[in-house]
Amino acid sequence: MASTNSIPLSSPPPPSILIVGAGVFGLSTALELLSRPRYFHTNITIVSSYFPFPTELSSPKTHPTSQQPTPASIDTSRIIRADYASPAYSALAEAAQRLWRQGWGGEGSYKESGLVLTYDTDDSGKGAKYVRETLANVRKNLSTSSAPLNPSKPTIQELHNPSEIQRILGVGELPTPNPNPTTNAGGYVNWASGWADAEAAIHHIARRITALGADRFTSGGGTLTLIHDTVTALLFTPTTTPPTVAGIHLSSRSTPLLSPLTILCTGAHTASFLPTSLPPHLTATGQILAHLQLTPTEHASLRSMPVIINMSTGLFIIPPTSSGLLKVARHAYGYRNPTTVSSNPEPTTPSSETTTTTLSISLPAPPSPIPDAAISTLRSALSTLLPSFPSLSLTTTTTPTRSFASSRVCWYADTPTGDFLVTWHPAFAQTLFIATGGSGHAFKFFPVLGGKVVDALEGGLEGALEGLWRWRGEREREGVRGGEGRGVWEADTEDGSRGGTKGMVWGEEEEMRGEGKGRGRERGSRL
């Protein structure tokens, strides 16, 4: 059913569209707009402090005065899977994976290594439930999925004990006795899943966008303008009824950049532009990751291993890159970074511009080392997920023996349900569209995401996604305010796939010491 808040197909598109952000949502939306004949004469502008395009293409030749943290989608590797407990996401991921297999992200960017999903037996059955529901969806999609890159292997194999899991990883036999008998108790391997070089894919699509923009302009179409700058605020017109968004303010310009339609694809930073209305639709959570530099011998042994994710703890390991970097990370409730901001100016009525209040919302913290407790959690991932590969142990009984090559916090744009937020903002009269809320799993949908965003823009998003990606009403939002009493106006993401401790706050040492000790309450499996 088409939305009443849309760009009707019977009407001409806007003369210009402004896209803020150049991560997965921003680039995929730009690529789709440039590819649809309907927008051939529309001028498209992309503004971002993260700039995956050649610097010389920035117009004008400006640079951000302050660099925001790297988008969540920029990394050595991101998991590509159709293994979801939600049928809607499983089907959408399968459609995306067909394109990954065809080289959509650039030659060699996608590696179909296989994916092992496991669960523990000491988590009240939460992990096992997610794995069972995911396996059912994967099997349901097998009849319509595209052929895997390695058809010689059986696509799905169930795994019934820790020993079978270690053997399928190709890393040898479990030590005797098994030091972690409740860990990785069962699961399955899907040899038709894998991972992609995320940063390489982002730059490949940025080059495609640049080429499409140039071809379109030389053929008499609209312009493509790329601006390397930091957006400081939205430009509101509070005196109109209803209020509108007329463009953006930039750090390097004294005058605003105007556009009749602004599309916010700003990930974990989005709430900073809409601090009054956006929470608790979306909040920033910090997720820990690190890279271990393998020796040549270790690299040779692990280069063919599948991805492994433990759905009880959220800990996962992605196979090494060509340079021997092994990624270890956790998909968790994450850290909050409560930040006091002014709610003005964000008018929701013509008279509200005179009212100024302050709110505490979670926003990405400046880049800084991850806490020692988080490092310990990631070390534990190596010993629990790959116990039969003892050379990877980073500790003896008391002392660290080797260090991670690098570590950082990846800031998710989390929603309470883990569903994306792809919708018109209801307060601003078809002048502001939001495409964000990746919740740590948007990258795998990169090849098809832009098409769905533009469908939603036009009111043509069909099926379950229309309901999943909608703007939530006040009654729905009241149910998640307060973040379980922490004084921050957001809720924990309850999508069935998160591990770790709830309520952790960035910079509070006592809570940082608690990293990894709990797993939260049991919740329904969705993603």
Side-chain angles (χ1 to χ4, degrees), residues 17 93 109 133-134 190 204 225 228 251 274 278 292 361 363 378 397 415 452 455 460 480 492:
I17 296 176
S109 66
E133 292 176 354
T134 300
N190 179 359
H204 174 75
T225 303
H228 188 195
S251 63
L274 298 162
L278 196 63
L292 180 67
I361 61 175
L363 293 173
L378 296 179
T397 55
T415 66
K452 298 302 181 183
D455 286 348
V480 295
D492 295 301

Side-chain angles (χ1 to χ4, degrees), residues 346-366:
E346 189 195 331
T348 54
T349 66
S351 61
S352 63
E353 74 276 9
T354 59
T355 302
T356 301
T357 60
T358 58
L359 296 170
S360 178
I361 61 175
S362 182
L363 293 173

Side-chain angles (χ1 to χ4, degrees), residues 36-48:
R36 291 198 183 189
R38 184 186 184 200
Y39 300 94
F40 182 75
H41 293 290
T42 298
N43 297 324
I44 295 172
T45 300
I46 305 172
V47 180
S48 182

Side-chain angles (χ1 to χ4, degrees), residues 32-84:
E32 185 69 18
L33 288 171
L34 289 167
S35 302
R36 291 198 183 189
R38 184 186 184 200
Y39 300 94
F40 182 75
H41 293 290
T42 298
N43 297 324
I44 295 172
T45 300
I46 305 172
V47 180
S48 182
S49 65
Y50 169 74
F51 201 70
F53 309 96
T55 303
E56 64 271 14
L57 295 182
S58 178
S59 177
K61 303 296 188 291
T62 57
H63 301 282
T65 57
S66 62
Q67 185 67 38
Q68 295 176 337
T70 303
S73 53
I74 309 305
D75 199 359
T76 56
S77 50
R78 295 302 298 265
I79 298 171
I80 306 297
R81 63 182 172 104
D83 303 70
Y84 275 86

Side-chain angles (χ1 to χ4, degrees), residues 18 45 47 227 229-237 245-259 262:
L18 173 60
T45 300
V47 180
I227 300 177
D229 208 340
T230 299
V231 178
T232 58
L234 296 174
L235 173 63
F236 297 104
T237 57
V245 172
I248 56 175
H249 294 280
L250 296 169
S251 63
S252 66
R253 298 188 184 191
S254 58
T255 57
L257 182 64
L258 304 180
S259 177
T262 299

